[in-house]
Structures are given as structure tokens and as C-alpha cells.
Amino acid sequence: MRTSVAKSYAKINIALNVVGKKENGYHNLDMIMVPLKLHDTLIFTKLQNRSHNSVTIDNFSIIVERHNSVSEAISLFNKKSGINNFFSVLIHKVIPVKGGFGGGSSNAAATLLLLNKWYKTNYSLEELEEMSLGIGADVPFFIRNVPARCKGIGEKIEPIKIKKDYYVLIVKPEQGCSTKEIFDKSDEYKLKTCNIDNVIKALEDGDDELLANSICNSLYEVAASFVPEIKEIIATLNSLGLSIVQMTGSGSGVFALSTDKKLLKKARRLLEDKYLVELTKIKK
């Protein structure tokens, strides 16, 4: 019985602007997304004489359904390739759920990449990106999995460079955020935006002061209205001397960037009894 393993990486949105809304209800975005070294592990076992996939997640807080992003990715790959195989997939879950860290999208992208390699179908990264958009707007980003400016609904990807090797502290309150709920509610707000060009310049030049003064998340106030702890976490991190701090995605997760690992470890010790906290690095 053949088995294969894939790593599925988390992401953060260093900046996120909502810049408009499409007629179909989706929002136009302009974002800086970066992958993290923090990852889930997916273990695939090919099934014999089965008519559906089986996905198990080793996290009791998650309700496992037959149709999740991994089974969607397998079905999409089968349809595209003409291959009709089914898998048992065990997901060792490390990426916090409902936090804005892209775990579901990352799992789907990791699945497509593994199957492309497994079956030697030789789909290009561009073909996989196009294929993956049928699963979700963030999935194409995880196909290349490099720091990037992402526009549209997230599918227009322009890689960027990051000069410094940042450590990343991620903090997530127990309550998560529903992406759909946050975006729907955002239509009632006058949303703030930041200068994405300045964010890119700061990352490329290694200018921490410019980065701290430039980043923002248009959905921050919306998400904080559902989960007030988001503001409390950011205030705590700022009080410890961390300046590059923001919410990621549609929340409720928060991140802090720094090259000072000792400072981030201190913050972790202070917060880990109350929140889910992980210390990782940007994956370049």
C-alpha cells in the first residue's frame, strides 16, 4: 500500500487592502502574503476498491467532513487528469484554524502538488494555479509558496523579495472568524487602506520603521467587532516593544515580526497560557 507525505505551510498577510467589490459579490484585494515555516503534515495512502476519499484530522476541535479542501483537490485533480483514484489522508494539524493563516487553502495546494508529482502528470505551476482557483481564492498562492503581492481575489500573484530573516510570532484567541461573515460585514464599514508600495519597499530594504508605519489590514476593525481580544493582543505585543504587529487575513489571528528572537520568546511566554501561540519564521 503506497503512502506519501506532504508539508502544507501557513501564511500571513503582512498587509491587506480591500479595494472594491465585484458584481458577483467577491471583493477585490491588494495584499502582501508570505509563507511561514509553520506547517501541517499530510499523509496520503492510496485506497483500493473505494469510491470516496477519507480525510482525518488529528485535532478534536475540527469537525471532519467527507468534503473538505483536500478531498476537493483530489476530485479536481482526478477530473483534470482523467485519473480516478481515492485516498485516505491523515492531516496532522498545526496551523491554527479560523485564524487567517490559510490552513485549508494550503492543504488543498499541497494535495495538488503531491498528486502532480505522484502521477508524473507534469502540470506546470501556472496550470496548477489555474486549477486550484476552483477550490478557493488563496489556493494559487500556496502553489508557488513564496512572498508575493496578490491582487484581484488573490489569484494575481507577483513575487517579492524580503531582505531580513524575520522570526514570526503568531497569536490566536480561542474564538475564530468566519471569512464570509467578516467580508459581508465589511460592506457596512469605511475601510482603511495602506500604501502597499511602501510595504514592499520596507521589506526589500529591511526598513523596520517604514514597515511598522506602513502595514494595515482593512478588515481589522470588522474582525475586532466580533473578537475584541484581537485588539488586546495587538496592544500587549506593542507594549512589549514589538512594532511590526497586525492581524492576518480576516482574523482572528495576529502576528508580530522581529529579528529579535529573545523578545518574541518573551512575548510567547506571556501569552501562551491564554492564547494559542507559535513561534516560527518566514519561509522565503
Side-chain angles (χ1 to χ4, degrees):
M1 187 175 292
R2 185 178 174 187
T3 297
S4 193
V5 178
K7 291 181 179 180
S8 170
Y9 295 92
K11 62 85 178 170
I12 55 171
N13 300 85
I14 291 182
L16 188 157
N17 285 345
V18 178
V19 295
K21 190 174 182 181
K22 295 176 177 287
E23 291 182 0
N24 61 9
Y26 283 96
H27 292 77
N28 280 314
L29 307 173
D30 191 359
M31 308 177 286
I32 301 297
M33 294 173 67
V34 299
L36 306 179
K37 290 188 175 182
L38 185 76
H39 64 272
D40 295 341
T41 301
L42 281 60
I43 304 171
F44 291 76
T45 303
K46 189 175 176 181
L47 298 173
Q48 303 295 329
N49 303 315
R50 293 285 291 273
S51 60
H52 64 267
N53 300 298
S54 171
V55 180
T56 305
I57 303 174
D58 64 351
N59 183 326
F60 294 118
S61 68
I62 302 172
I63 298 173
V64 180
E65 299 176 353
R66 180 177 294 179
H67 299 291
N68 68 356
S69 65
V70 170
S71 60
E72 279 187 61
I74 296 171
S75 297
L76 194 63
F77 183 87
N78 284 347
K79 183 177 180 180
K80 173 76 173 178
S81 65
I83 298 168
N84 197 31
N85 286 318
F86 299 94
F87 293 84
S88 170
V89 186
L90 171 63
I91 303 176
H92 174 53
K93 179 57 67 174
V94 176
I95 302 171
V97 297
K98 293 188 175 181
F101 301 106
S105 296
S106 176
N107 291 171
T111 299
L112 293 176
L113 288 164
L114 181 139
L115 294 177
N116 191 40
K117 184 177 179 180
W118 187 316
Y119 288 108
K120 297 181 174 62
T121 39
N122 298 319
Y123 292 122
S124 66
L125 293 178
E126 290 81 4
E127 289 174 304
L128 290 172
E129 285 171 351
E130 184 178 352
M131 191 190 310
S132 70
L133 191 56
I135 304 170
D138 278 351
V139 187
F141 165 79
F142 288 105
I143 296 294
R144 293 181 192 268
N145 209 42
V146 296
R149 183 176 192 168
C150 302
K151 298 180 181 179
I153 59 173
E155 83 286 6
K156 299 173 183 176
I157 301 166
E158 304 167 8
I160 63 171
K161 298 293 184 183
I162 299 179
K163 183 176 182 178
K164 289 187 174 180
D165 291 323
Y166 287 110
Y167 291 95
V168 185
L169 187 73
I170 64 172
V171 186
K172 183 192 171 290
E174 182 176 354
Q175 184 180 346
C177 288
S178 160
T179 299
K180 183 180 185 306
E181 199 169 36
I182 298 300
F183 273 102
D184 286 348
K185 187 71 173 176
S186 73
D187 294 332
E188 302 173 16
Y189 282 68
K190 183 175 176 58
L191 301 177
K192 295 180 181 178
T193 59
C194 57
N195 187 323
I196 296 290
D197 291 331
N198 281 349
V199 177
I200 294 172
K201 184 178 189 306
L203 289 169
E204 290 180 341
D205 293 347
D207 188 335
D208 287 358
E209 184 177 357
L210 178 61
L211 185 60
N213 291 330
S214 299
I215 60 174
C216 77
N217 186 323
S218 292
L219 301 173
Y220 166 64
E221 293 291 346
V222 186
S225 73
F226 287 90
V227 187
E229 286 174 296
I230 294 170
K231 288 190 174 182
E232 295 172 16
I233 292 167
I234 290 176
T236 299
L237 292 169
N238 287 155
S239 72
L240 293 170
L242 292 161
S243 58
I244 309 171
V245 179
Q246 190 49 266
M247 184 184 82
T248 180
S250 55
S252 60
V254 171
F255 68 86
L257 299 184
S258 179
T259 54
D260 188 342
K261 190 176 183 181
K262 287 184 178 180
L263 181 57
L264 290 176
K265 282 185 172 181
K266 178 183 177 181
R268 180 177 66 181
R269 287 194 299 271
L270 289 171
L271 293 167
E272 61 188 359
D273 287 342
K274 190 174 182 181
Y275 305 110
L276 194 162
V277 184
E278 297 280 357
L279 180 57
T280 183
K281 290 191 78 172
I282 286 178
K283 184 179 184 297
K284 295 185 181 180

